[in-house]
């Protein structure tokens, strides 16, 4: 699933911080987890350290530092730490929050870089532009949001395929006789696939149909 995720912002002027909007997402009660394959924690700005953390700082925590002293330091399309940085997230994340480190000195950069941004987003959706530093274009393009990818599965903390196939609760979801259970690649739970040589919907009775292969 792809959805739009709020961008956290931190803006300043000659007097210091003037705006600070920090966002996160809580998917703990849903069947979704943030994709560790498609998403990266993305930070845009100069002299910026943003922190991504899980469960009020009691679990996973990481940061990304983006620095630049002048516009000559940054390059369109590059997100390697100068004006833009990205860092990976672990598997299984269902919750995240963002905070900015307020100790970074912005007195030398606020004239050409008035805001910093941080968001967990689809990595391939970012095409970094120097305009993201000098204007509010990054935040304005999608009304303060960026795409994030979520992985779905049938979730239960102890519901592996081995347990699910016993069908002790009558909720086993792989209903097609030509389907099979596969472990979720991201967090607890499982998915259903059609067996090799079959195609269709493994969640429906007789949903997986045989494919006709013709040799030439």
């Amino acid at each position: 699933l792809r959805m739009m995720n709020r961008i956290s912002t931190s803006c300043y002027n000659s007097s210091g911080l003037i705006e600070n909007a920090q966002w996160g997402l809580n998917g703990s009660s849903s069947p979704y987890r943030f994709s560790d394959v498609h998403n990266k924690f993305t930070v845009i700005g100069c002299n910026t350290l943003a922190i991504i953390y899980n469960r009020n700082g009691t679990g996973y925590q990481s940061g990304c530092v983006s620095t630049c002293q002048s516009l000559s330091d940054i390059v369109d399309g590059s997100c390697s730490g100068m004006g833009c940085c990205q860092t990976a997230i672990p598997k299984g994340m269902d919750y995240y929050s963002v905070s900015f480190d307020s100790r970074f000195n912005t007195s030398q950069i606020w004239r050409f870089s008035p805001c910093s941004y941080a968001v967990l987003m689809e990595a391939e959706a970012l095409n970094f532009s120097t305009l993201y530093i000098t204007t509010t274009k990054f935040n304005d393009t999608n009304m303060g949001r960026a795409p994030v990818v979520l992985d779905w599965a049938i979730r239960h903390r102890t519901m592996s395929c081995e347990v699910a196939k016993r069908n002790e609760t009558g909720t086993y979801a792989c209903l097609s006789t030509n389907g099979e259970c596969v472990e979720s690649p991201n967090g607890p739970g499982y998915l259903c696939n059609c067996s090799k040589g079959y195609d269709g919907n493994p969640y429906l009775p007789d949903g997986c149909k045989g494919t006709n292969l013709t040799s030439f």
Side-chain angles (χ1 to χ4, degrees), residues 111-142:
R111 291 184 184 277
F112 66 88
S113 178
C115 292
S116 297
Y117 308 102
V119 64
L120 182 62
M121 67 175 291
E122 184 179 9
E124 290 188 0
L126 178 70
N127 183 15
F128 176 71
S129 167
T130 55
L131 290 176
Y132 292 171
I133 296 295
T134 59
T135 71
T136 58
K137 182 179 179 179
F138 178 68
N139 197 49
D140 296 343
T141 299
N142 291 302

Side-chain angles (χ1 to χ4, degrees), residues 4-12 17 19-25 40-45 48-53 96-101 114-121 132 135-140 142-147:
M4 300 305 288
N5 187 20
R6 288 184 180 271
I7 299 171
S8 296
T9 61
S10 180
C11 298
Y12 25 80
L17 186 68
E19 179 185 346
N20 195 14
Q22 300 173 5
W23 300 98
L25 274 178
K40 286 188 177 180
F41 182 51
T42 302
V43 176
I44 291 173
T48 302
L49 168 59
I51 307 296
I52 181 174
Y53 57 92
Y96 93 96
S97 289
V98 169
S99 65
F100 292 96
D101 191 324
C115 292
S116 297
Y117 308 102
V119 64
L120 182 62
M121 67 175 291
Y132 292 171
T135 71
T136 58
K137 182 179 179 179
F138 178 68
N139 197 49
D140 296 343
N142 291 302
M143 296 186 295
R145 291 168 170 81

Side-chain angles (χ1 to χ4, degrees), residues 13-14 21 27 65 68 71 75 93 101 105 112 123 132-133 137 139-140 171 180-181 191:
N13 61 15
S14 58
V65 178
C68 47
L71 290 178
V75 179
M93 279 187 64
D101 191 324
N105 185 359
F112 66 88
Y132 292 171
I133 296 295
K137 182 179 179 179
N139 197 49
D140 296 343
T171 59
E180 57 190 40
C181 182
L191 300 163

Side-chain angles (χ1 to χ4, degrees), residues 37-167:
V37 174
H38 296 289
N39 300 317
K40 286 188 177 180
F41 182 51
T42 302
V43 176
I44 291 173
C46 291
N47 292 6
T48 302
L49 168 59
I51 307 296
I52 181 174
Y53 57 92
N54 186 14
R55 303 296 176 203
N56 299 317
T58 59
Y60 167 77
Q61 188 174 56
S62 184
C64 207
V65 178
S66 174
T67 63
C68 47
Q69 297 302 315
S70 69
L71 290 178
S72 61
D73 294 335
I74 58 179
V75 179
D76 285 338
S78 174
C79 192
S80 57
M82 302 299 284
C84 176
C85 72
Q86 291 184 311
T87 188
I89 61 169
K91 290 181 180 296
M93 279 187 64
D94 59 11
Y95 172 101
Y96 93 96
S97 289
V98 169
S99 65
F100 292 96
D101 191 324
S102 60
R103 295 172 295 178
F104 272 54
N105 185 359
T106 59
S107 62
Q108 302 300 314
I109 55 94
W110 69 270
R111 291 184 184 277
F112 66 88
S113 178
C115 292
S116 297
Y117 308 102
V119 64
L120 182 62
M121 67 175 291
E122 184 179 9
E124 290 188 0
L126 178 70
N127 183 15
F128 176 71
S129 167
T130 55
L131 290 176
Y132 292 171
I133 296 295
T134 59
T135 71
T136 58
K137 182 179 179 179
F138 178 68
N139 197 49
D140 296 343
T141 299
N142 291 302
M143 296 186 295
R145 291 168 170 81
V148 63
V149 179
L150 306 177
D151 290 334
W152 176 87
I154 299 166
R155 303 289 181 186
H156 192 285
R157 292 188 180 279
T158 60
M159 190 63 80
S160 64
C161 279
E162 181 181 355
V163 174
K165 284 187 287 189
R166 297 175 194 159
N167 202 23

Side-chain angles (χ1 to χ4, degrees), residues 184-200:
S184 165
N186 186 9
Y190 68 94
L191 300 163
C192 304
N193 280 350
C194 288
S195 301
K196 186 176 180 180
Y198 294 87
D199 194 15

